[in-house]
Amino acid sequence: MFSFIKFLQGFLQKIKRNKGLWFTTLAVLSIFGIGLSLYILISMTKNVSKEVYVNISQTYTKSLKNRLVSEEETLKKILLTVKNDNTLINDISTNNLENVNTKIQSYNENFKKSNFGELTIGFYPVINQVNQYRNSVNSVIERKVLNFGIEVLADGIFILLLEPILEGDNLIGVLEIKEPLYSLKDDFLKDDSIFLFLLEQKMLNKLSIEARKDKYREIIDELNVEEERYNGAFFGKIVEGGREGYKELIDNGYYVDNQFFKTYKKVSDINGNVIGIVVLGEVVEGSGAFVNIVDNMTKTVTTVALGLVISILLFMF
């Protein structure tokens, strides 16, 4: 080791005697040092940006989960009011379906007048049941417990709650309360966020011809959007990004382009079947957008750090 140090010292002294070679060596070492430092800094800032994007994606998906939990609680409270209607419950108990249907219709009309959007309730009789119901309703009938989730029905895609009506231990009917899934769009819009639902091709057949005809457009990989319901520029960017952009979204959990930040979550229906994905995101334009804040922060850190590296290298030589 000592011999190597002496050799190195002698080599440096020899180079210093040759001024041209000395300054050339300093320049090459400086450029190499700056390049290496810049590479390390860029790699570090990219990793930091990626971590921030992953955390924001998790925040979005958590927000979606929380909104669905809140939606469930809201629907339970509304349905509790209906269940406390003794006249309605008595008509259900006596299987007076004409009165029950009239009462249900009255509730739905009042929902419209009270600005409850497209919220509706329905009823499934089980006393002297004639018709076989869909799986989600049959599950409530068999288990006598409520069921909440998202379901593709003939007239659209809904968030719904199914609750059994019991008289003692006996099931006398099932109440359903539902509202369109796209109603979540307005909730996210209040937070300057964008909500988009893409339905899998295989689920389109569950919609009636009227509900799907000339309304759905394939975006990518047999995922379809109901065009008039969602932000056209947002899903247009997914089309523009093509398979490569979509693959990056799926692989990384997020995708950033020159206009939007996007993240996603797979969606299962009330029966546990995957029916599509929810894409969430926001516009990156404007100084207040978090994507620009992250970008400006990393650029500032890189510039300052690079200036520091150059200053140190110049000082050393």
Side-chain angles (χ1 to χ4, degrees):
M1 177 62 74
F2 181 72
S3 299
F4 176 74
I5 293 173
K6 284 192 67 177
F7 169 78
L8 189 60
Q9 288 176 338
F11 179 74
L12 289 173
Q13 287 176 358
K14 187 176 180 181
I15 292 178
K16 285 182 179 179
R17 288 200 275 289
N18 187 331
K19 298 297 183 182
L21 181 60
W22 172 247
F23 285 111
T24 300
T25 303
L26 286 181
V28 170
L29 289 173
S30 298
I31 292 170
F32 176 77
I34 292 171
L36 180 61
S37 301
L38 186 60
Y39 172 77
I40 294 172
L41 287 168
I42 290 174
S43 297
M44 289 176 62
T45 51
K46 279 185 177 179
N47 289 336
V48 170
S49 298
K50 181 177 180 180
E51 188 173 339
V52 171
Y53 292 148
V54 169
N55 287 335
I56 295 297
S57 298
Q58 291 172 349
T59 299
Y60 267 113
T61 53
K62 184 178 180 181
S63 175
L64 176 61
K65 181 180 178 181
N66 290 340
R67 288 177 193 275
L68 287 172
V69 170
S70 176
E71 189 71 21
E72 181 178 3
E73 293 303 313
T74 300
L75 295 181
K76 282 180 181 178
K77 289 177 182 177
I78 296 173
L79 211 52
L80 180 61
T81 303
V82 178
K83 287 171 61 181
N84 286 333
D85 185 335
N86 293 327
T87 302
L88 174 64
I89 299 302
N90 183 64
D91 287 333
I92 292 174
S93 178
T94 57
N95 202 33
N96 190 335
L97 297 184
E98 185 177 347
N99 285 353
V100 171
N101 291 332
T102 300
K103 193 69 174 178
I104 294 293
Q105 185 178 353
S106 175
Y107 272 113
N108 288 331
E109 290 173 355
N110 288 331
F111 286 150
K112 286 183 180 179
K113 294 176 183 177
S114 303
N115 295 320
F116 272 93
E118 296 181 57
L119 185 74
T120 57
I121 62 171
F123 173 71
Y124 299 91
V126 297
I127 300 174
N128 301 323
Q129 179 183 347
V130 177
N131 297 324
Q132 181 71 10
Y133 303 124
R134 64 184 194 271
N135 290 341
S136 55
V137 179
N138 291 333
S139 175
V140 175
I141 293 172
E142 292 169 9
R143 299 168 57 203
K144 297 181 182 179
V145 294
L146 66 81
N147 204 356
F148 171 81
I150 297 167
E151 189 166 9
V152 182
L153 302 177
D155 53 340
I157 307 165
F158 295 90
I159 303 170
L160 56 83
L161 178 72
L162 293 160
E163 186 163 356
I165 306 301
L166 300 173
E167 190 174 64
D169 292 330
N170 297 320
L171 181 71
I172 59 175
V174 175
L175 281 173
E176 174 187 75
I177 184 167
K178 66 182 182 181
E179 66 177 337
L181 178 63
Y182 64 78
S183 63
L184 290 178
K185 179 182 66 174
D186 294 333
D187 293 334
F188 277 93
L189 193 60
K190 292 174 185 176
D191 296 330
D192 295 323
S193 301
I194 303 172
F195 174 92
L196 167 69
F197 178 72
L198 300 179
L199 180 69
E200 288 198 354
Q201 185 81 23
K202 64 183 181 182
M203 303 304 297
L204 281 175
N205 288 334
K206 286 186 171 289
L207 296 168
S208 67
I209 295 175
E210 183 181 353
R212 71 174 185 268
K213 187 178 180 181
D214 299 327
K215 295 180 181 179
Y216 281 83
R217 169 190 173 188
E218 184 175 356
I219 297 301
I220 195 165
D221 284 356
E222 296 189 338
L223 290 169
N224 298 265
V225 65
E226 190 176 3
E227 289 191 84
E228 64 180 19
R229 300 294 187 188
Y230 298 100
N231 186 317
F234 192 59
F235 64 72
K237 275 292 181 180
I238 298 176
V239 177
E240 185 180 311
R243 292 184 181 276
E244 186 176 337
Y246 179 70
K247 184 177 184 301
E248 185 175 337
L249 171 65
I250 299 302
D251 291 346
N252 296 336
Y254 68 88
Y255 183 75
V256 184
D257 55 40
N258 61 348
Q259 192 172 356
F260 299 103
F261 168 84
K262 295 182 285 291
T263 187
Y264 84 100
K265 181 175 175 57
K266 286 186 178 180
V267 175
S268 297
D269 68 4
I270 199 168
N271 300 307
N273 304 310
V274 175
I275 60 171
I277 67 171
V278 164
V279 185
L280 304 167
E282 64 178 65
V283 177
V284 302
E285 293 178 350
S287 59
F290 87 88
V291 173
N292 289 333
I293 293 173
V294 172
D295 187 48
N296 292 334
M297 179 184 69
T298 53
K299 284 179 180 177
T300 300
V301 171
T302 302
T303 303
V304 171
L306 181 59
L308 205 62
V309 169
I310 294 173
S311 299
I312 292 172
L313 289 171
L314 291 174
F315 177 76
M316 288 175 63
F317 296 102

